[in-house]
């Protein structure tokens, strides 16, 4: 078993047009920067991207919007992006907005081998349109289906050659969930170590969910809202 | 009349020792600044943190450590990180004691609308629908009237809903009100210098006034 690849380009080599991708991250925190750059170099188009957010105009998934590679976004919040808004209003881009917890849990369900979940989020709202409503113990819930993702792309802090991953602080967010939901999962990591160097008790996501792993480089880790206090 | 910090200061009095609290973006975020010294609360950030600390000092920002508003933050001793499914799991399971969030409209039966204005750019609901569907106690922080001078406390919401029958309490620049289970806004407190008539004129939904209404103490 060899999961290690040498570059982002090699990791995404067989992603073709019209693929369903899952991308980890929350805002610009914990996004797979190297793989996004590689997808832009490869020039694949017609992508459906499942990601909590859509980046900003000049970073993250926003870069793939600039190059018109994304056909559809499935997200919970897509603000802070003027090009996104332009493409949405002109009809170039399709958007499916879903509650953040529903997004997370539909990914989890995929990774847990469950076809669907019931959640109260969106009951009585337009999110419930066309969905089965079922009452448990006096409260209504919506049936929501597990995602079906061709390629998942995530960013972790540390990984080993078995694909085991450790995330850092709030950059964990959607990354392990996106990773669990992919038929093929690609992980880029800041530090890649031989199997055995990570404490098995400290693994956040076991490598069984990861098919390709590479050491990323030149991380920008942009901050979306820099807020500080005065001493 | 209260300013934004005044609204946050009044809401902070609802935060009790030992609570786990989720603060939304905007005025709710300010509530953290007014929680009294010695009141131990744990702030939850739905992107995967229990134990939000203050903003970092300049030069100590960490891009891997942000809140749900994508602002750089710090942690407090005893904090914990987790993924987004677990984050909404604890919300859905009712482990978070109090949720404080903003709203565009609240109806007299506790429905809330805060994510979409038809015809305008729609940015998404984020975690709001999950929070309002599951939180045991929801306090709304908002202006009593919108920029056009129209009441935001209505018989029924006109905007697309975020959740049904979920708001328990509202704090505005004019008043503190409960939403009664049988329907109606019950006036509890007036903002300093605000009369009951001013509150009545700014409230389109059913307003219930019982006895003398005290001025709020801050």
């Amino acid at each position: 078993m060899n999961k290690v690849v040498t570059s982002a380009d090699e990791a995404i080599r067989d992603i073709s047009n019209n693929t369903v991708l899952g991308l980890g991250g929350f805002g610009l925190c914990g996004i797979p920067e190297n793989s996004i750059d590689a997808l832009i170099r490869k020039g694949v188009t017609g992508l459906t991207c499942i990601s909590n957010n859509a980046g900003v105009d000049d970073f993250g998934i926003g870069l793939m919007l600039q190059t018109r590679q994304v056909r559809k976004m499935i997200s919970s919040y897509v603000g802070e992006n003027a090009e996104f808004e332009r493409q949405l209003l002109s009809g170039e881009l399709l958007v499916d907005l879903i509650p953040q917890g529903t997004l997370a849990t539909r990914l989890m369900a995929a990774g847990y081998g469950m076809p669907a979940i019931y959640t109260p989020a969106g009951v009585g709202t337009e999110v419930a349109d066309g969905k089965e409503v079922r009452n448990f113990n006096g409260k209504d819930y919506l049936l929501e289906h597990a995602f079906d993702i061709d390629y998942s792309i995530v960013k972790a802090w540390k990984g080993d050659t078995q694909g085991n991953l450790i995330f850092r602080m709030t950059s964990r967010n959607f990354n392990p969930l996106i990773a669990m939901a992919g038929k093929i999962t690609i992980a880029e990591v800041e530090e890649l170590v031989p199997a055995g160097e990570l404490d098995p008790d400290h693994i956040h996501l076991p490598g069984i969910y990861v098919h390709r792993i590479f050491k990323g480089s030149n991380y920008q880790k942009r901050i979306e809202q820099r807020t500080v206090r005065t001493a | 009349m209260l300013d934004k910090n005044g609204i946050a200061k009044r809401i902070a009095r609802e935060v009790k020792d030992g609570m786990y609290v989720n603060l939304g973006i905007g005025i709710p975020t300010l509530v953290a600044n007014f929680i009294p010294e010695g009141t131990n609360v744990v702030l939850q950030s739905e992107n995967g943190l229990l134990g939000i600390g203050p903003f970092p000092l300049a030069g100590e920002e960490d891009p891997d450590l942000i809140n749900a508003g994508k602002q750089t933050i710090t942690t407090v001793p005893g904090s914990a990180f987790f993924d987004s499914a677990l984050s909404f799991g604890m919300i859905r399971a009712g482990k978070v004691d109090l949720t404080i969030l903003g709203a565009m409209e609240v109806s007299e039966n506790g429905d809330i609308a805060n994510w979409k204005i038809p015809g305008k750019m729609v940015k998404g609901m984020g975690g709001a629908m999950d929070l309002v569907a599951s939180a045991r106690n929801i306090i709304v922080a908002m202006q009593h009237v919108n920029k056009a001078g129209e009441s935001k406390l209505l018989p029924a919401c006109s905007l697309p809903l975020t959740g049904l029958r979920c708001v328990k309490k509202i704090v505005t620049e004019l008043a503190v009100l409960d939403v009664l289970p049988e329907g109606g806004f019950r006036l509890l407190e007036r903002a300093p210098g605000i009369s009951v008539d001013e509150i009545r004129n700014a409230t389109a939904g059913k307003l219930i006034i019982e006895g003398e209404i005290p001025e709020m103490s801050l």
Side-chain angles (χ1 to χ4, degrees):
Chain A
M1 178 171 12
N2 182 23
K3 297 184 177 183
V4 179
V5 295
T6 55
S7 68
D9 299 282
E10 188 187 347
I12 63 133
R13 61 190 180 266
D14 49 1
I15 293 180
S16 53
N17 294 344
N18 309 313
T19 296
V20 178
L21 298 182
L23 294 113
F26 184 98
L28 301 179
C29 181
I31 59 172
E33 297 182 20
N34 284 212
S35 300
I36 289 170
D37 287 344
L39 286 165
I40 291 166
R41 279 194 295 274
K42 189 167 169 62
V44 283
T45 59
L47 301 173
T48 293
C49 292
I50 300 171
S51 172
N52 188 55
N53 311 94
V56 295
D57 273 323
D58 60 347
F59 202 55
I61 292 174
L63 295 170
M64 293 201 291
L65 294 168
Q66 300 276 5
T67 50
R68 311 279 204 283
Q69 291 174 265
V70 182
R71 176 69 184 129
K72 185 176 184 181
M73 282 301 311
I74 300 176
S75 305
S76 84
Y77 189 82
V78 295
E80 343 308 343
N81 195 323
E83 176 62 15
F84 186 102
E85 182 169 353
R86 192 198 64 72
Q87 290 186 22
L88 178 62
L89 296 175
S90 70
E92 294 167 67
L93 181 67
L94 302 172
V95 179
D96 198 356
L97 292 169
I98 61 181
Q100 193 173 137
T102 300
L103 177 64
T105 312
R106 288 174 65 188
L107 293 164
M108 190 195 78
Y112 276 50
M114 302 186 297
I117 53 123
Y118 284 101
T119 177
V123 168
T125 76
E126 62 184 54
V127 166
D129 289 350
K131 289 176 184 158
E132 178 192 322
V133 179
R134 185 159 165 185
N135 191 285
F136 296 94
N137 305 318
K139 182 168 175 169
D140 284 340
Y141 295 81
L142 298 183
L143 181 75
E144 297 276 8
H145 293 269
F147 280 114
D148 188 9
I149 296 178
D150 299 318
Y151 288 84
S152 283
I153 307 176
V154 303
K155 155 79 193 326
W157 180 35
K158 294 179 182 177
D160 69 16
T161 51
Q162 288 287 337
N164 295 308
L165 301 180
I166 296 176
F167 303 91
R168 184 169 178 273
M169 299 200 277
T170 56
S171 70
R172 190 180 324 182
N173 57 61
F174 279 86
N175 276 300
L177 304 160
I178 292 279
M180 289 196 301
K183 288 194 198 76
I184 302 281
T185 291
I186 296 161
E188 56 175 85
V189 297
E190 291 178 55
E191 198 178 324
L192 180 61
V193 300
E197 286 201 10
L198 301 178
D199 183 339
D201 265 338
H202 291 171
I203 303 296
H204 293 139
L205 186 79
I208 193 167
Y209 289 112
V210 175
H211 305 91
R212 299 173 193 170
I213 188 166
F214 68 94
K215 185 188 178 307
S217 57
N218 300 320
Y219 282 103
Q220 291 189 39
K221 292 200 181 186
R222 275 204 214 169
I223 291 173
E224 210 164 327
Q225 305 282 343
R226 186 179 299 274
T227 46
V228 296
R229 72 179 192 274
T230 46
Chain B
M1 188 183 299
L2 301 178
D3 61 8
K4 286 180 178 180
N5 278 308
I7 294 172
K9 197 171 176 186
R10 174 58 191 83
I11 291 176
R13 286 179 43 211
E14 305 292 322
V15 178
K16 309 295 185 209
D17 195 66
M19 277 185 170
Y20 288 94
V21 182
N22 181 289
L23 302 177
I25 293 163
I27 298 174
T29 305
L30 300 173
V31 172
N33 300 335
F34 298 104
I35 296 170
E37 206 65 36
T39 301
N40 285 307
V41 299
V42 179
L43 301 178
Q44 201 249 17
S45 195
E46 64 261 31
N47 56 319
L49 169 63
L50 278 166
I52 306 174
F55 294 138
L57 294 168
E60 293 179 4
E61 312 92 315
D62 188 323
D64 288 338
L65 183 50
I66 62 169
N67 64 16
K70 284 100 176 179
Q71 296 171 310
T72 46
I73 50 165
T74 59
T75 57
V76 295
S79 63
F81 296 114
F82 36 85
D83 68 53
S84 300
L86 191 60
S87 181
F88 285 94
M90 63 185 71
I91 289 166
R92 221 181 281 122
K95 306 296 182 187
V96 176
D97 300 294
L98 176 61
T99 292
I100 301 167
L101 74 179
M104 297 170 184
E105 295 177 348
V106 177
S107 79
E108 63 190 32
N109 64 1
D111 296 350
I112 180 171
N114 72 351
W115 76 284
K116 181 176 186 179
I117 300 175
K120 288 203 178 172
M121 171 60 187
V122 179
K123 294 188 171 187
M125 66 291 280
M129 284 192 182
D130 308 272
L131 282 159
V132 301
S134 298
R136 284 187 285 133
N137 190 8
I138 297 175
I139 300 178
V140 163
M142 67 174 189
Q143 303 297 319
H144 215 101
V145 297
N146 64 21
K147 283 173 188 153
E150 299 157 342
S151 179
K152 296 167 71 173
L153 285 74
L154 303 169
C157 293
S158 63
L159 294 170
L161 293 176
T162 308
L164 301 176
R165 295 181 168 276
C166 53
V167 177
K168 300 284 194 293
K169 185 171 278 192
I170 304 166
V171 179
T172 74
E173 77 280 20
L174 303 179
V176 180
L177 312 101
D178 265 349
V179 181
L180 298 180
E182 65 271 27
F185 302 108
R186 180 169 64 188
L187 183 58
L188 297 177
E189 298 172 20
R190 296 172 291 115
I194 298 297
S195 69
V196 168
D197 276 344
E198 284 172 280
I199 296 163
R200 191 183 282 120
N201 289 337
T203 307
K206 181 179 172 188
L207 185 67
I208 296 157
I209 302 165
E210 292 165 344
E212 202 65 24
I213 305 300
E215 194 170 282
M216 64 179 80
S217 59
L218 289 165

